[in-house]
Amino acid sequence: MSGTPAETRTPRRLAAIDLGSNSFHLLVANYHEEQLQVVAKLGEKVQLAAGLDEDDNLSEDAIQRALDCLARFAPFIADVPSPSLRVVGTNALRNANNSEALIRRAEALLGHEIEIIAGREEARLIYLGAAHALADVHGKRLIVDIGGGSTEFIIGEHFEPLALESLHMGCVAYTSRFFAEGEITEKRFRQAELAALSELANIRRPYLELGWTDPVGSSGTIKAVAAVLAATGDSPDGLIHREGLMKLRKQLIKTKRLDKVAMEGLKADRARVFPAGVAILSAIFEAFDLTYMRYSDGALREGVLYDLAGRNTPEDSRLQTLGALQRRYGVETRQADNVAASARHAFDQVRDAWKLDDEQKQFLGWAAQIHEMGQAVSHSQFHRHGAYLLEHSDLPGFSRPEQRCLAFLVRAHRRKFPVKELEVLPESLRERYARLARLLRVAVILNHSRPEQPVVDFTLTAEGEALRLALPDPLAEQALLVNDLQQEMAMQQAAGFNFELESAPVDA
């Protein structure tokens, strides 16, 4: 019998670093039999969001706090293979105008790429982590995660999210906004609650209409509230009840100052941002008319690991996203499949010469699968429309850098080669994605007549940046195809690339 029995398979080592607005977290685990076995788990209060100035620039002090923390994390990921590690940034890095100032130095320190994820992608990963940590219940559950700069809301059933939202309210951001002078008053507390209620107004009705049977909270603020209520005896069943939360609210207001906040069960490094977190949670109870909430230990970092475990399998969330895009924008799947097959064939022929890898082949195939999605907007300039949709949509499973690269490939698949758009990509990616774009362009041209089967009867060679395409006689005799390829030679030449065609017949 071939294969390795499941019980004797070597566990896969996975790691995630969550660069949150309040805290940074590291989680290293072995993935075995669909479960995570924790190897290392660390967390530090970095308060990145507190380092944002009025112009949304991170201060050098905040950047240094982040780098110092990551230097302590680095030894724990030294033996984790790159495909099994993800470092994700959330709200503070999404909002910081100078996020690259931190990212460049952090990537050099860790030796790994940092991905800034969109709010709804953060929500999806939080749900994945929380759902795995909870017992499977019948019916829908509401997951709430109050972070430093944003709060995520998800309604889901089993492991499938049904509604995802990320709102701009968090315990660090609200501390700076409503408690900046260190005073805790009824007026300030209520202002924070009203601001949160205003944010919640946009999702309140659709979330209530969708409904849930199990309200669950995750991460720092809600964990801290649960711990304080348990320590004071106001949570005998382990749940956060509305009465206990209101009692805690009154206690905080009586404290009067942030630097005087000290409660049994509350860690000292969370005390300063605790009142703002409680104000946000109180508003959530009010908006959704909650009587209780339970706490789940699973959150973003656990979700990242479970998502990593499913990558490059039929459960890969990115495949589901691409399928949804094809359906939503009415992509002709036969043509998409044909272009993808030709692109992969071209890739295989130049792979060694251009030192390409499986991940790049995957992205090339994905771009081919959705390269015509912009036609749902307009046939004119549909490559531009497709690129815009990709860059500005929430794409579950994809980080923002991945979306940008995918959008570039779709933008570059036809007409004038987009040199300016290429220069917007990080310098380390430009050569790689320029090459992938050139392969996609060739595949699109070879399938221009929309044949029944993909065109794979061709030879493509690369020497440096020069590409040479050789066609068999039946293809070389197709005047329309040869004309398209000659135009492509001119467009690549205009962009500074050498592209040559062999075996083209001489005009009569």
Side-chain angles (χ1 to χ4, degrees), residues 293-423:
M293 177 181 286
R294 63 185 176 120
Y295 169 71
S296 166
D297 198 38
L300 176 60
R301 50 202 171 275
E302 287 83 9
V304 170
L305 293 194
Y306 280 112
D307 197 58
L308 266 176
R311 288 202 161 188
N312 303 314
T313 74
E315 302 303 315
D316 194 328
S317 57
R318 295 172 297 178
L319 296 179
Q320 299 172 27
T321 295
L322 292 169
L325 287 173
Q326 286 187 321
R327 292 188 295 273
R328 180 175 182 179
Y329 295 108
V331 173
E332 184 185 333
T333 55
R334 186 186 71 185
Q335 177 67 5
D337 290 343
N338 286 350
V339 172
S342 297
R344 286 191 289 264
H345 182 63
F347 182 99
D348 289 340
Q349 294 183 85
V350 301
R351 176 181 188 137
D352 292 340
W354 276 356
K355 296 181 174 58
L356 301 172
D357 60 29
D358 287 341
E359 182 180 355
Q360 290 144 27
K361 183 177 182 179
Q362 188 177 53
F363 264 76
L364 176 62
W366 288 345
Q369 290 287 345
I370 53 175
H371 73 282
E372 291 187 333
M373 61 181 282
Q375 290 190 4
V377 178
S378 171
H379 184 79
S380 175
Q381 304 292 312
F382 70 83
H383 54 305
R384 293 177 181 268
H385 301 316
Y388 181 88
L389 291 170
L390 285 171
E391 188 157 356
H392 296 281
S393 297
D394 286 322
L395 302 184
F398 289 93
S399 67
R400 285 192 168 183
E402 288 175 335
Q403 285 187 225
R404 194 171 298 119
C405 290
L406 201 58
F408 169 75
L409 291 177
V410 169
R411 169 67 179 84
H413 87 265
R414 68 193 290 263
R415 300 290 176 86
K416 182 181 178 181
F417 194 93
V419 175
K420 290 183 179 179
E421 287 81 353
L422 177 64
E423 291 174 350

Side-chain angles (χ1 to χ4, degrees), residues 86 88-90 94 115-119 121-122 125 300 399:
R86 287 187 75 188
V88 298
T90 58
R94 285 196 292 268
E115 309 170 31
I116 300 178
I117 56 175
E121 173 64 359
E122 182 181 353
L125 292 170
L300 176 60
S399 67

Side-chain angles (χ1 to χ4, degrees), residues 14-35:
L14 302 172
I17 296 178
D18 162 18
L19 309 181
S21 301
N22 186 39
S23 304
F24 284 11
H25 292 276
L26 164 76
L27 179 61
V28 182
N30 290 327
Y31 183 71
H32 186 57
E33 296 184 354
E34 300 183 355
Q35 297 294 323

Side-chain angles (χ1 to χ4, degrees), residues 207-277:
Y207 269 57
L208 287 172
E209 288 176 351
L210 187 55
W212 58 82
T213 57
D214 187 25
V216 180
S218 66
S219 288
T221 288
I222 295 173
K223 180 180 181 179
V225 170
V228 170
L229 294 181
T232 57
D234 290 316
S235 176
D237 53 5
L239 301 177
I240 299 172
H241 290 278
R242 181 192 287 265
E243 295 80 3
L245 183 61
M246 293 303 103
K247 183 178 178 180
L248 177 58
R249 179 187 187 278
K250 291 178 181 178
Q251 289 176 314
L252 287 169
I253 293 172
K254 286 181 181 179
T255 304
K256 295 185 178 180
R257 291 197 58 82
L258 294 182
D259 56 9
K260 299 296 183 182
V261 174
M263 297 178 171
E264 188 178 356
L266 179 64
K267 294 181 179 179
D269 61 2
R270 179 165 288 276
R272 184 172 179 81
V273 299
F274 189 59

Side-chain angles (χ1 to χ4, degrees), residues 12-243:
R12 181 183 172 193
R13 181 66 57 91
L14 302 172
I17 296 178
D18 162 18
L19 309 181
S21 301
N22 186 39
S23 304
F24 284 11
H25 292 276
L26 164 76
L27 179 61
V28 182
N30 290 327
Y31 183 71
H32 186 57
E33 296 184 354
E34 300 183 355
Q35 297 294 323
L36 295 177
Q37 302 165 344
V38 176
V39 174
K41 190 172 186 178
L42 299 174
E44 291 192 19
K45 296 290 185 296
V46 175
Q47 293 201 335
L48 202 60
L52 286 170
D53 64 19
E54 294 179 355
D55 298 319
D56 284 334
N57 287 312
L58 288 169
S59 69
E60 182 57 33
D61 285 346
I63 291 173
Q64 194 57 54
R65 289 198 303 270
L67 294 173
D68 291 345
C69 174
L70 293 178
R72 290 186 283 273
F73 285 179
F76 292 90
I77 62 171
D79 62 344
V80 179
S82 184
S84 298
L85 167 66
R86 287 187 75 188
V87 186
V88 298
T90 58
N91 187 264
L93 286 176
R94 285 196 292 268
N95 291 337
N97 293 322
N98 64 336
S99 60
E100 280 298 318
L102 169 57
I103 290 173
R104 284 195 304 270
R105 293 158 69 181
E107 288 179 338
L109 190 157
L110 296 173
H112 190 82
E113 178 186 2
I114 292 173
E115 309 170 31
I116 300 178
I117 56 175
R120 286 179 179 169
E121 173 64 359
E122 182 181 353
R124 183 187 72 85
L125 292 170
I126 287 168
Y127 181 78
L128 191 59
H132 275 90
L134 295 167
D136 198 11
V137 297
H138 296 291
K140 296 188 285 290
R141 55 167 63 105
L142 168 71
I143 305 289
V144 177
D145 188 298
I146 301 173
S150 65
T151 298
E152 280 65 49
F153 299 85
I154 312 97
I155 296 177
E157 194 166 8
H158 303 297
F159 297 113
E160 187 67 29
L162 305 174
L164 298 164
E165 194 55 75
S166 178
L167 301 183
H168 295 291
M169 56 188 194
C171 61
V172 177
Y174 270 34
T175 298
S176 298
R177 183 175 171 187
F178 298 104
F179 304 101
E181 297 176 3
E183 296 181 3
I184 309 173
T185 64
E186 170 65 36
K187 180 178 180 181
R188 291 176 187 271
F189 216 100
R190 189 54 183 166
Q191 285 176 336
E193 290 172 334
L194 289 172
L197 286 168
S198 179
E199 291 285 339
L200 285 159
N202 289 327
I203 69 167
R204 181 179 179 274
R205 178 174 291 179
Y207 269 57
L208 287 172
E209 288 176 351
L210 187 55
W212 58 82
T213 57
D214 187 25
V216 180
S218 66
S219 288
T221 288
I222 295 173
K223 180 180 181 179
V225 170
V228 170
L229 294 181
T232 57
D234 290 316
S235 176
D237 53 5
L239 301 177
I240 299 172
H241 290 278
R242 181 192 287 265
E243 295 80 3

